[in-house]
Amino acid sequence: MRTVAAHCLLSALLLAASGCKKDQDAQGPYGTCAPQTQSVKSATDVEGTVQFDTAVQQYVIYRAVPGTYDSMDIGVVCSTLPADLQVANAPVRFSGTYRDYGNAPQAGPAGRTYYYLELTKVTAR
């Protein structure tokens, strides 16, 4: 009887562990947030700057909107940036998907738009 119970417990643990692994793989290396929100635009191998945003209390990537002189996309990074990039004013090169942020903070100057940013790649420049 103990053997049957042990096998059932072991099987349940293996099943649970494999389920968690699949979820992690589906999210990509830097995580997914707000998957129910609409994908707004993508970025491929673009330059940005890391900042700690006090309005959302986490690291974000600022990117100047091409063709403008005062507009910024603020990507609230899903999951966590690598530790070596969690430095104010760190220049980065990244790729990913911007998603609708919804109820964005109103702090700061006009021309700043908040998005969730699902990174597929991020490196120091």
Side-chain angles (χ1 to χ4, degrees), residues 12-47:
L13 289 173
L14 288 173
L15 182 62
S18 67
C20 292
K21 177 70 173 143
K22 287 179 185 174
D23 289 345
Q24 184 179 7
D25 290 344
Q27 290 179 357
Y30 301 101
T32 298
C33 53
Q36 72 281 3
T37 63
Q38 182 177 355
S39 175
V40 178
K41 57 184 170 179
S42 62
T44 305
D45 202 30
V46 296
E47 295 181 354

mmCIF file of all heavy atoms in Angstrom, residues 12-47:
data_model
loop_
_atom_site.group_PDB
_atom_site.id
_atom_site.type_symbol
_atom_site.label_atom_id
_atom_site.label_comp_id
_atom_site.label_asym_id
_atom_site.label_seq_id
_atom_site.Cartn_x
_atom_site.Cartn_y
_atom_site.Cartn_z
ATOM 1 N N ALA A 12 2.389 12.688 -9.180
ATOM 2 C CA ALA A 12 1.770 14.010 -9.052
ATOM 3 C C ALA A 12 2.822 15.111 -9.041
ATOM 4 O O ALA A 12 2.654 16.157 -9.677
ATOM 5 C CB ALA A 12 0.917 14.069 -7.790
ATOM 6 N N LEU A 13 3.930 14.881 -8.337
ATOM 7 C CA LEU A 13 5.001 15.871 -8.294
ATOM 8 C C LEU A 13 5.643 16.072 -9.666
ATOM 9 O O LEU A 13 5.914 17.199 -10.079
ATOM 10 C CB LEU A 13 6.064 15.469 -7.259
ATOM 11 C CG LEU A 13 5.654 15.585 -5.803
ATOM 12 C CD1 LEU A 13 6.719 15.001 -4.891
ATOM 13 C CD2 LEU A 13 5.373 17.035 -5.443
ATOM 14 N N LEU A 14 5.886 14.989 -10.379
ATOM 15 C CA LEU A 14 6.462 15.090 -11.722
ATOM 16 C C LEU A 14 5.518 15.814 -12.678
ATOM 17 O O LEU A 14 5.943 16.638 -13.485
ATOM 18 C CB LEU A 14 6.806 13.707 -12.258
ATOM 19 C CG LEU A 14 8.010 13.029 -11.621
ATOM 20 C CD1 LEU A 14 8.148 11.593 -12.124
ATOM 21 C CD2 LEU A 14 9.278 13.810 -11.890
ATOM 22 N N LEU A 15 4.245 15.522 -12.578
ATOM 23 C CA LEU A 15 3.257 16.187 -13.423
ATOM 24 C C LEU A 15 3.209 17.682 -13.129
ATOM 25 O O LEU A 15 3.195 18.513 -14.036
ATOM 26 C CB LEU A 15 1.877 15.556 -13.220
ATOM 27 C CG LEU A 15 0.749 16.122 -14.079
ATOM 28 C CD1 LEU A 15 1.061 15.894 -15.557
ATOM 29 C CD2 LEU A 15 -0.568 15.471 -13.707
ATOM 30 N N ALA A 16 3.216 18.045 -11.861
ATOM 31 C CA ALA A 16 3.195 19.463 -11.480
ATOM 32 C C ALA A 16 4.453 20.167 -11.949
ATOM 33 O O ALA A 16 4.400 21.287 -12.468
ATOM 34 C CB ALA A 16 3.038 19.600 -9.966
ATOM 35 N N ALA A 17 5.601 19.545 -11.805
ATOM 36 C CA ALA A 17 6.866 20.156 -12.221
ATOM 37 C C ALA A 17 6.915 20.343 -13.728
ATOM 38 O O ALA A 17 7.376 21.369 -14.228
ATOM 39 C CB ALA A 17 8.039 19.311 -11.750
ATOM 40 N N SER A 18 6.435 19.380 -14.488
ATOM 41 C CA SER A 18 6.461 19.520 -15.938
ATOM 42 C C SER A 18 5.479 20.593 -16.391
ATOM 43 O O SER A 18 5.736 21.306 -17.350
ATOM 44 C CB SER A 18 6.152 18.185 -16.616
ATOM 45 O OG SER A 18 4.826 17.791 -16.368
ATOM 46 N N GLY A 19 4.372 20.756 -15.690
ATOM 47 C CA GLY A 19 3.420 21.823 -16.017
ATOM 48 C C GLY A 19 4.026 23.189 -15.796
ATOM 49 O O GLY A 19 3.853 24.096 -16.592
ATOM 50 N N CYS A 20 4.783 23.381 -14.740
ATOM 51 C CA CYS A 20 5.430 24.666 -14.471
ATOM 52 C C CYS A 20 6.475 24.964 -15.518
ATOM 53 O O CYS A 20 6.615 26.084 -15.971
ATOM 54 C CB CYS A 20 6.086 24.666 -13.088
ATOM 55 S SG CYS A 20 4.886 24.603 -11.754
ATOM 56 N N LYS A 21 7.209 23.982 -15.958
ATOM 57 C CA LYS A 21 8.241 24.172 -16.972
ATOM 58 C C LYS A 21 7.631 24.641 -18.276
ATOM 59 O O LYS A 21 8.126 25.549 -18.915
ATOM 60 C CB LYS A 21 9.012 22.862 -17.168
ATOM 61 C CG LYS A 21 10.063 22.896 -18.244
ATOM 62 C CD LYS A 21 11.227 23.767 -17.846
ATOM 63 C CE LYS A 21 12.334 23.632 -18.875
ATOM 64 N NZ LYS A 21 13.010 24.863 -19.112
ATOM 65 N N LYS A 22 6.503 24.052 -18.661
ATOM 66 C CA LYS A 22 5.856 24.454 -19.903
ATOM 67 C C LYS A 22 5.395 25.896 -19.828
ATOM 68 O O LYS A 22 5.544 26.654 -20.776
ATOM 69 C CB LYS A 22 4.672 23.537 -20.213
ATOM 70 C CG LYS A 22 5.091 22.172 -20.680
ATOM 71 C CD LYS A 22 3.888 21.302 -20.951
ATOM 72 C CE LYS A 22 4.331 19.898 -21.308
ATOM 73 N NZ LYS A 22 3.209 18.991 -21.433
ATOM 74 N N ASP A 23 4.824 26.333 -18.701
ATOM 75 C CA ASP A 23 4.395 27.719 -18.549
ATOM 76 C C ASP A 23 5.566 28.675 -18.663
ATOM 77 O O ASP A 23 5.479 29.707 -19.303
ATOM 78 C CB ASP A 23 3.695 27.930 -17.204
ATOM 79 C CG ASP A 23 2.340 27.266 -17.151
ATOM 80 O OD1 ASP A 23 1.828 26.888 -18.220
ATOM 81 O OD2 ASP A 23 1.806 27.123 -16.040
ATOM 82 N N GLN A 24 6.686 28.323 -18.043
ATOM 83 C CA GLN A 24 7.863 29.182 -18.091
ATOM 84 C C GLN A 24 8.370 29.314 -19.519
ATOM 85 O O GLN A 24 8.716 30.393 -19.964
ATOM 86 C CB GLN A 24 8.955 28.612 -17.192
ATOM 87 C CG GLN A 24 10.184 29.486 -17.097
ATOM 88 C CD GLN A 24 11.226 28.886 -16.168
ATOM 89 O OE1 GLN A 24 11.081 27.756 -15.697
ATOM 90 N NE2 GLN A 24 12.265 29.630 -15.921
ATOM 91 N N ASP A 25 8.423 28.208 -20.281
ATOM 92 C CA ASP A 25 8.882 28.255 -21.661
ATOM 93 C C ASP A 25 7.975 29.116 -22.515
ATOM 94 O O ASP A 25 8.429 29.851 -23.380
ATOM 95 C CB ASP A 25 8.951 26.847 -22.260
ATOM 96 C CG ASP A 25 10.080 26.022 -21.663
ATOM 97 O OD1 ASP A 25 10.976 26.603 -21.028
ATOM 98 O OD2 ASP A 25 10.043 24.787 -21.821
ATOM 99 N N ALA A 26 6.661 29.061 -22.273
ATOM 100 C CA ALA A 26 5.717 29.827 -23.066
ATOM 101 C C ALA A 26 5.883 31.324 -22.836
ATOM 102 O O ALA A 26 5.588 32.125 -23.704
ATOM 103 C CB ALA A 26 4.287 29.413 -22.732
ATOM 104 N N GLN A 27 6.394 31.705 -21.671
ATOM 105 C CA GLN A 27 6.539 33.116 -21.360
ATOM 106 C C GLN A 27 7.768 33.744 -21.995
ATOM 107 O O GLN A 27 7.842 34.947 -22.114
ATOM 108 C CB GLN A 27 6.642 33.313 -19.848
ATOM 109 C CG GLN A 27 5.361 33.033 -19.135
ATOM 110 C CD GLN A 27 5.498 33.217 -17.647
ATOM 111 O OE1 GLN A 27 6.579 33.501 -17.134
ATOM 112 N NE2 GLN A 27 4.420 33.058 -16.941
ATOM 113 N N GLY A 28 8.732 32.979 -22.386
ATOM 114 C CA GLY A 28 9.960 33.539 -22.897
ATOM 115 C C GLY A 28 10.919 33.821 -21.752
ATOM 116 O O GLY A 28 10.576 33.676 -20.581
ATOM 117 N N PRO A 29 12.130 34.233 -22.080
ATOM 118 C CA PRO A 29 13.164 34.356 -21.054
ATOM 119 C C PRO A 29 12.928 35.481 -20.056
ATOM 120 O O PRO A 29 13.448 35.436 -18.955
ATOM 121 C CB PRO A 29 14.433 34.598 -21.868
ATOM 122 C CG PRO A 29 13.962 35.192 -23.150
ATOM 123 C CD PRO A 29 12.617 34.574 -23.402
ATOM 124 N N TYR A 30 12.155 36.504 -20.401
ATOM 125 C CA TYR A 30 11.974 37.646 -19.512
ATOM 126 C C TYR A 30 10.563 37.776 -18.981
ATOM 127 O O TYR A 30 10.220 38.763 -18.371
ATOM 128 C CB TYR A 30 12.403 38.943 -20.225
ATOM 129 C CG TYR A 30 13.834 38.886 -20.648
ATOM 130 C CD1 TYR A 30 14.175 38.621 -21.955
ATOM 131 C CD2 TYR A 30 14.850 39.056 -19.717
ATOM 132 C CE1 TYR A 30 15.505 38.545 -22.332
ATOM 133 C CE2 TYR A 30 16.173 38.972 -20.087
ATOM 134 C CZ TYR A 30 16.490 38.724 -21.398
ATOM 135 O OH TYR A 30 17.810 38.641 -21.765
ATOM 136 N N GLY A 31 9.728 36.803 -19.225
ATOM 137 C CA GLY A 31 8.397 36.799 -18.647
ATOM 138 C C GLY A 31 7.331 37.439 -19.508
ATOM 139 O O GLY A 31 7.604 38.097 -20.496
ATOM 140 N N THR A 32 6.107 37.211 -19.094
ATOM 141 C CA THR A 32 4.935 37.753 -19.766
ATOM 142 C C THR A 32 4.075 38.431 -18.714
ATOM 143 O O THR A 32 3.947 37.941 -17.609
ATOM 144 C CB THR A 32 4.127 36.628 -20.434
ATOM 145 O OG1 THR A 32 4.944 36.023 -21.421
ATOM 146 C CG2 THR A 32 2.872 37.139 -21.082
ATOM 147 N N CYS A 33 3.518 39.568 -19.075
ATOM 148 C CA CYS A 33 2.563 40.196 -18.176
ATOM 149 C C CYS A 33 1.389 40.695 -19.008
ATOM 150 O O CYS A 33 1.542 40.996 -20.182
ATOM 151 C CB CYS A 33 3.193 41.336 -17.381
ATOM 152 S SG CYS A 33 4.043 42.585 -18.334
ATOM 153 N N ALA A 34 0.264 40.732 -18.401
ATOM 154 C CA ALA A 34 -0.955 41.209 -19.049
ATOM 155 C C ALA A 34 -1.203 40.555 -20.405
ATOM 156 O O ALA A 34 -1.421 41.236 -21.393
ATOM 157 C CB ALA A 34 -0.904 42.731 -19.185
ATOM 158 N N PRO A 35 -1.187 39.213 -20.485
ATOM 159 C CA PRO A 35 -1.401 38.571 -21.778
ATOM 160 C C PRO A 35 -2.787 38.838 -22.355
ATOM 161 O O PRO A 35 -2.988 38.694 -23.549
ATOM 162 C CB PRO A 35 -1.210 37.082 -21.469
ATOM 163 C CG PRO A 35 -1.478 36.953 -20.020
ATOM 164 C CD PRO A 35 -1.045 38.260 -19.397
ATOM 165 N N GLN A 36 -3.724 39.259 -21.508
ATOM 166 C CA GLN A 36 -5.073 39.556 -21.992
ATOM 167 C C GLN A 36 -5.153 40.923 -22.672
ATOM 168 O O GLN A 36 -6.126 41.219 -23.330
ATOM 169 C CB GLN A 36 -6.090 39.473 -20.847
ATOM 170 C CG GLN A 36 -6.019 40.595 -19.845
ATOM 171 C CD GLN A 36 -4.896 40.463 -18.805
ATOM 172 O OE1 GLN A 36 -4.104 39.535 -18.844
ATOM 173 N NE2 GLN A 36 -4.824 41.400 -17.890
ATOM 174 N N THR A 37 -4.123 41.754 -22.518
ATOM 175 C CA THR A 37 -4.144 43.076 -23.146
ATOM 176 C C THR A 37 -3.676 42.989 -24.591
ATOM 177 O O THR A 37 -2.997 42.050 -24.994
ATOM 178 C CB THR A 37 -3.264 44.088 -22.383
ATOM 179 O OG1 THR A 37 -1.912 43.655 -22.429
ATOM 180 C CG2 THR A 37 -3.724 44.237 -20.949
ATOM 181 N N GLN A 38 -4.033 43.998 -25.341
ATOM 182 C CA GLN A 38 -3.736 44.028 -26.764
ATOM 183 C C GLN A 38 -2.267 44.346 -27.020
ATOM 184 O O GLN A 38 -1.679 45.231 -26.397
ATOM 185 C CB GLN A 38 -4.609 45.079 -27.434
ATOM 186 C CG GLN A 38 -4.423 45.174 -28.922
ATOM 187 C CD GLN A 38 -5.371 46.186 -29.536
ATOM 188 O OE1 GLN A 38 -6.220 46.744 -28.859
ATOM 189 N NE2 GLN A 38 -5.215 46.424 -30.812
ATOM 190 N N SER A 39 -1.671 43.628 -27.958
ATOM 191 C CA SER A 39 -0.330 43.940 -28.426
ATOM 192 C C SER A 39 -0.431 45.207 -29.272
ATOM 193 O O SER A 39 -1.233 45.279 -30.198
ATOM 194 C CB SER A 39 0.197 42.776 -29.264
ATOM 195 O OG SER A 39 1.437 43.103 -29.819
ATOM 196 N N VAL A 40 0.380 46.227 -28.935
ATOM 197 C CA VAL A 40 0.265 47.522 -29.600
ATOM 198 C C VAL A 40 1.287 47.673 -30.714
ATOM 199 O O VAL A 40 0.963 48.117 -31.807
ATOM 200 C CB VAL A 40 0.419 48.662 -28.565
ATOM 201 C CG1 VAL A 40 0.366 50.018 -29.226
ATOM 202 C CG2 VAL A 40 -0.645 48.546 -27.492
ATOM 203 N N LYS A 41 2.538 47.297 -30.427
ATOM 204 C CA LYS A 41 3.591 47.388 -31.436
ATOM 205 C C LYS A 41 4.774 46.562 -30.983
ATOM 206 O O LYS A 41 4.847 46.129 -29.828
ATOM 207 C CB LYS A 41 4.011 48.833 -31.683
ATOM 208 C CG LYS A 41 4.493 49.589 -30.459
ATOM 209 C CD LYS A 41 4.786 51.033 -30.820
ATOM 210 C CE LYS A 41 5.031 51.886 -29.602
ATOM 211 N NZ LYS A 41 5.326 53.267 -29.976
ATOM 212 N N SER A 42 5.695 46.346 -31.901
ATOM 213 C CA SER A 42 6.878 45.572 -31.552
ATOM 214 C C SER A 42 8.124 46.425 -31.770
ATOM 215 O O SER A 42 8.094 47.428 -32.475
ATOM 216 C CB SER A 42 6.952 44.289 -32.379
ATOM 217 O OG SER A 42 7.066 44.609 -33.746
ATOM 218 N N ALA A 43 9.191 46.004 -31.133
ATOM 219 C CA ALA A 43 10.487 46.674 -31.275
ATOM 220 C C ALA A 43 11.505 45.596 -31.599
ATOM 221 O O ALA A 43 11.539 44.550 -30.956
ATOM 222 C CB ALA A 43 10.852 47.379 -29.970
ATOM 223 N N THR A 44 12.330 45.848 -32.594
ATOM 224 C CA THR A 44 13.349 44.890 -32.985
ATOM 225 C C THR A 44 14.702 45.560 -33.015
ATOM 226 O O THR A 44 14.926 46.467 -33.821
ATOM 227 C CB THR A 44 13.038 44.282 -34.373
ATOM 228 O OG1 THR A 44 11.727 43.715 -34.336
ATOM 229 C CG2 THR A 44 14.042 43.218 -34.745
ATOM 230 N N ASP A 45 15.569 45.148 -32.109
ATOM 231 C CA ASP A 45 16.944 45.620 -32.043
ATOM 232 C C ASP A 45 17.021 47.155 -32.000
ATOM 233 O O ASP A 45 17.682 47.778 -32.826
ATOM 234 C CB ASP A 45 17.738 45.060 -33.226
ATOM 235 C CG ASP A 45 19.230 45.047 -32.951
ATOM 236 O OD1 ASP A 45 19.620 44.915 -31.773
ATOM 237 O OD2 ASP A 45 20.015 45.187 -33.907
ATOM 238 N N VAL A 46 16.315 47.748 -31.027
ATOM 239 C CA VAL A 46 16.292 49.198 -30.875
ATOM 240 C C VAL A 46 17.034 49.621 -29.607
ATOM 241 O O VAL A 46 17.266 48.812 -28.716
ATOM 242 C CB VAL A 46 14.849 49.760 -30.860
ATOM 243 C CG1 VAL A 46 14.157 49.511 -32.182
ATOM 244 C CG2 VAL A 46 14.052 49.168 -29.724
ATOM 245 N N GLU A 47 17.405 50.884 -29.548
ATOM 246 C CA GLU A 47 18.142 51.408 -28.401
ATOM 247 C C GLU A 47 17.198 52.057 -27.402
ATOM 248 O O GLU A 47 16.206 52.680 -27.783
ATOM 249 C CB GLU A 47 19.175 52.430 -28.869
ATOM 250 C CG GLU A 47 20.247 51.821 -29.738
ATOM 251 C CD GLU A 47 21.291 52.830 -30.192
ATOM 252 O OE1 GLU A 47 21.139 54.037 -29.927
ATOM 253 O OE2 GLU A 47 22.262 52.391 -30.819
#
